[in-house]
Amino acid sequence: MAAPCAMDEVPPENLFIAPSIDVPRLLSGQSYSYHSPVPRALVDDKVTECVLGVDEAGRGPVLGPMVYALFYLPLPLHRSLLAETHHFDDSKVLTPQVRSNLVQKLCTASTDLHQSCGWAAKVMSPRDISAGMLKPAVLYNLNQQAMDATIELIKDVFARGVNVKEIYIDTIGPPQTYQAKLSRIFPTTTITVAKKADSLYPCVSAASVCAKVTRDAALEVCYRAYTAAPLTPEGSEAPATAEVEGWGSGYPSDARCSGWLKRNMDPVFGWGNVCRFSWNTAKDLLEAKSSAVNVEWPAQEDEDNTRMIDFLPASRRDQKKNAHKMATWFGVKVGEGLF
Amino acid sequence: MEARLEQALLLKRVVEAIKDLVQDCNFDCNDTGIALQAMDNSHVALVSMLLKAEAFSPYRCDRNIPIGINLTSLTKVLRCAQNDDILTLKAEDSPDTINLTFESSESDRLSEYDIKLMDIDQDHLGIPETEYAATITMPSAEFQRICRDLIALSESVSIEATKEGVKFSCAGDIGNGSVTLRSHTNVEKPELNVEIDLAEPVALTFSLKYLVNFCKASALSGSVKLCLSNEVPLLVEYGLSGSSWLRFYLAPKIGDEE
């Protein structure tokens, strides 16, 4: 779990842009999944039993995607490779630079990490999160979206022929219910759902690092897109302060984030694909008086319904035009006739 | 203009019945009474109301005055009146506001409200006099029930009047349904009578959403009159005391033969 305590940190200058970053899809507001290639050792030997951890980053922020990541490796290497050799830990304990370096190693072909470990990430776009949460009839809340993303990721790993024996997950809601649900879907696997799994199990720590690095890079990519194409291109009032301050961590409690939201709100459309409109921070800003304009939605037209005006002499011009076919139906003009 | 209604209930119910169809409209006052005519936003339905001078006691209006009002505002103020209160409407010759006073019939309570008026540019549409092919009079509660029952299945209803009777039918995703009424005279309870006056058979399709909306007027009158002719809007009329009325017109749907 990425907690708001991490919100004030500054991403490293040379943040590693992981292969889980798909710039066109990020900018267009689509959700997508990334899977690393299955390590050679596991492809060659399909019976190797693996351990898999799942964790998330970016649940609370109003800006940027929520990322679910999973990480798997052969069971015997679990503690020795992750905890002892590379010192993976809860992403909040590690500095951004350390996290970034770890993922870079993981994605470099010659390293021991790359040779034995696989990982995947599901990037859930702000647009899809908000659309689910704001759906009128049966709303699709964040927990359900998170569970579905997790299940989808794990299924994909099974589909790639990885023999997963143990799964560790940080809980969403009550651990027992979530564990029971997952056990029904993956009956052959030992599943452990626990609070603070990211500091207890090295594979969950590693997943949390992958998720966090993906999320940070995604936010950075989105931000660069914003500063490259400022909202007021020719304006002399281009938000110079915004460029200095940035939008921070994307958490609503971060003053840089709320300041950015206020300065960069379009009165009609609000913000772009980067913003979760279902967050109260965004809703409050849009609904506040005098900041955004009120949009009137025209009444939905029934395609196959005729109009009353087709039957009424609305104006003299119309009357002339339609007189031939309406003559039998037109009667007296309103006024005396009505009374 | 000054008009005194014995019971606020009448105006409360009229406004209640039309406020979801029309937001702003003119109440046109002249010496014969108060008239209202407005179309809904999508121009599919039209409301027409006439409260004749006889509905009031007394009624006085020396010249034509349009009273343009937001019906939501009017509803807010009318909610402050008890059903049995005596209601008096007052307006100057070229008014900025309309004044409403509610006098309790039981106590000496007197409440007074002014509502700001608005300039509404409204086309006066001549509603053509029509000889309808079929005129059906039935209990308003019955019509309301039919509309509410059928909207559970479909968005539109076909109304078919023949010698046999009048059939309301609809077809939707889950299935189809119909209600048929025949001419019926109940000597004990004449309010349950169904009268069908048929010159020629007609069949037309209408949006149920609007009909259900019209049925909010059911409280105004025990019976409702439906007038139909092919390729002409349906007229739904609720008669009020003193030959006043509330009428709704609804344009038919096309391309649906069923």
Side-chain angles (χ1 to χ4, degrees):
Chain A
M1 291 280 282
C5 65
M7 76 186 194
D8 290 328
E9 63 193 24
V10 181
E13 286 296 308
N14 53 342
L15 179 71
F16 177 61
I17 302 290
S20 52
I21 296 298
D22 180 332
V23 176
R25 282 202 275 191
L26 262 180
L27 296 183
S28 69
Q30 290 177 65
S31 299
Y32 64 90
S33 319
Y34 162 81
H35 281 267
S36 75
V38 176
R40 177 133 300 256
L42 297 178
V43 177
D44 294 342
D45 182 5
K46 297 260 186 212
V47 292
T48 312
E49 295 189 337
C50 287
V51 57
L52 183 152
V54 186
D55 199 21
E56 139 278 336
R59 195 182 152 83
V62 61
L63 292 176
M66 175 160 93
V67 178
Y68 263 81
L70 61 73
F71 191 99
Y72 56 91
L73 75 167
L75 252 176
L77 298 176
H78 189 193
R79 286 197 186 267
S80 62
L81 181 65
L82 295 182
E84 286 156 25
T85 315
H86 290 286
H87 309 290
F88 270 99
D89 202 342
D90 173 5
S91 66
K92 292 185 288 294
V93 177
L94 305 174
T95 66
Q97 193 60 61
V98 171
R99 293 193 302 248
S100 172
N101 293 347
L102 282 170
V103 175
Q104 192 160 9
K105 259 187 230 166
L106 176 63
C107 299
T108 309
S110 56
T111 62
D112 51 352
L113 276 174
H114 184 84
Q115 279 159 10
S116 344
C117 312
W119 67 289
K122 166 103 183 163
V123 175
M124 300 160 76
S125 75
R127 188 182 71 190
D128 290 349
I129 293 171
S130 305
M133 289 174 71
L134 296 171
K135 223 162 71 164
V138 191
L139 63 93
Y140 184 31
N141 72 27
L142 199 59
N143 281 354
Q144 288 166 298
Q145 296 186 42
M147 285 184 195
D148 289 349
T150 306
I151 292 162
E152 184 196 312
L153 278 177
I154 300 176
K155 278 187 175 163
D156 287 348
V157 170
F158 274 103
R160 279 151 206 264
V162 179
N163 182 17
V164 179
K165 272 290 145 201
E166 295 178 14
I167 296 178
Y168 297 91
I169 302 184
D170 209 354
T171 191
I172 302 167
Q176 293 83 359
T177 3
Y178 192 29
Q179 177 146 358
K181 181 178 171 160
L182 290 171
S183 302
R184 271 198 304 279
I185 300 170
F186 306 107
T188 59
T189 321
T190 315
I191 293 168
T192 311
V193 176
K195 286 181 184 162
K196 303 211 186 299
D198 50 353
S199 49
L200 294 173
Y201 308 101
C203 60
V204 182
S205 304
S208 82
V209 169
C210 293
K212 182 68 178 151
V213 171
T214 301
R215 148 99 192 149
D216 285 348
L219 204 61
E220 185 62 26
V221 164
C222 292
Y223 188 66
R224 275 182 214 158
Y226 265 89
T227 45
L231 290 174
T232 49
E234 76 278 12
S236 49
E237 303 168 54
T241 48
E243 278 173 37
V244 177
E245 287 191 7
W247 59 29
S249 59
Y251 276 93
S253 52
D254 186 336
R256 288 171 299 175
C257 171
S258 51
W260 184 88
L261 285 171
K262 270 185 210 130
R263 284 192 304 273
N264 291 279
M265 183 173 77
D266 181 278
V268 177
F269 299 104
W271 306 270
N273 286 330
V274 75
C275 177
R276 301 184 194 170
F277 285 79
S278 52
W279 259 235
N280 282 332
T281 320
K283 274 192 240 173
D284 292 349
L285 279 172
L286 281 173
E287 282 165 13
K289 276 193 181 140
S290 78
S291 52
V293 294
N294 212 351
V295 177
E296 271 182 36
W297 297 93
Q300 205 176 7
E301 306 235 325
D302 288 332
E303 288 293 308
D304 57 346
N305 217 114
T306 53
R307 306 267 171 273
M308 274 310 291
I309 28 180
D310 301 340
F311 301 94
L312 300 168
S315 69
R316 303 233 167 255
R317 187 168 39 85
D318 287 351
Q319 199 165 1
K320 257 183 219 151
K321 200 171 64 190
N322 293 326
H324 58 285
K325 54 180 172 184
M326 291 296 191
T328 48
W329 212 70
F330 286 147
V332 273
K333 196 99 168 100
V334 80
E336 302 80 49
L338 189 59
F339 294 99
Chain B
M1 194 279 289
E2 184 167 346
R4 184 170 171 276
L5 259 184
E6 287 294 344
Q7 281 198 316
L9 185 63
L10 175 70
L11 192 61
K12 283 177 86 147
R13 283 184 170 163
V14 167
V15 174
E16 199 63 39
I18 62 178
K19 74 168 169 43
D20 292 327
L21 222 48
V22 181
Q23 285 77 50
D24 306 317
C25 66
N26 280 329
F27 287 79
D28 293 303
C29 308
N30 68 14
D31 57 353
T32 56
I34 302 176
L36 172 155
Q37 190 182 300
M39 253 192 279
D40 82 303
N41 277 339
S42 59
H43 290 182
V44 167
L46 185 144
V47 189
S48 174
M49 178 209 76
L50 177 61
L51 295 177
K52 290 195 180 169
E54 300 90 90
F56 301 91
S57 58
Y59 181 87
R60 183 182 59 77
C61 184
D62 308 325
R63 58 181 70 207
N64 294 355
I65 308 171
I67 295 176
I69 201 162
N70 173 278
L71 289 183
T72 312
S73 312
L74 182 57
T75 307
K76 281 182 188 159
V77 168
L78 287 173
R79 289 221 172 105
C80 306
Q82 306 251 263
N83 291 346
D84 295 333
D85 282 357
I86 298 161
L87 182 155
T88 310
L89 300 168
K90 271 180 269 181
E92 305 286 326
D93 280 353
S94 43
D96 298 325
T97 59
I98 183 168
N99 174 277
L100 293 93
T101 48
F102 310 136
E103 291 167 71
S104 167
S105 45
E106 285 160 5
S107 64
D108 282 338
R109 186 180 197 272
L110 182 82
S111 45
E112 195 168 343
Y113 298 87
D114 289 315
I115 304 175
K116 289 179 192 159
L117 300 183
M118 49 208 296
D119 262 330
I120 301 170
D121 191 20
Q122 236 170 8
D123 264 350
H124 269 287
L125 305 161
I127 300 175
E129 289 287 333
T130 307
E131 288 290 326
Y132 287 100
T135 302
I136 302 137
T137 310
M138 67 166 94
S140 55
E142 176 64 60
F143 181 55
Q144 183 168 36
R145 182 179 166 197
I146 292 170
C147 294
R148 282 191 183 161
D149 288 352
L150 296 185
I151 204 170
L153 275 80
S154 171
E155 286 177 357
S156 49
V157 60
S158 144
I159 306 181
E160 198 179 349
T162 59
K163 284 201 301 277
E164 277 70 48
V166 57
K167 184 177 178 187
F168 301 83
S169 53
C170 72
D173 293 339
I174 61 164
N176 56 62
S178 74
V179 179
T180 308
L181 300 180
R182 292 191 175 83
S183 272
H184 167 87
T185 312
N186 190 324
V187 185
E188 304 275 295
K189 295 178 182 164
E191 67 273 17
L192 295 181
N193 286 359
V194 176
E195 271 174 55
I196 302 174
D197 187 0
L198 190 77
E200 59 174 316
V202 285
L204 286 162
T205 305
F206 299 99
S207 160
L208 273 167
K209 186 180 73 181
Y210 286 93
L211 292 178
V212 166
N213 216 325
F214 298 168
C215 287
K216 290 188 183 140
S218 297
L220 282 164
S221 171
S223 73
V224 61
K225 194 163 85 178
L226 310 182
C227 304
L228 300 111
S229 275
N230 282 322
E231 291 170 23
V232 154
L234 162 75
L235 164 60
V236 179
E237 177 175 320
Y238 294 88
L240 309 177
S241 62
S243 66
S244 299
W245 38 253
L246 179 60
R247 290 175 180 165
F248 299 96
Y249 293 85
L250 180 61
K253 288 194 154 201
I254 46 162
D256 199 341
E257 257 66 69
E258 270 300 293

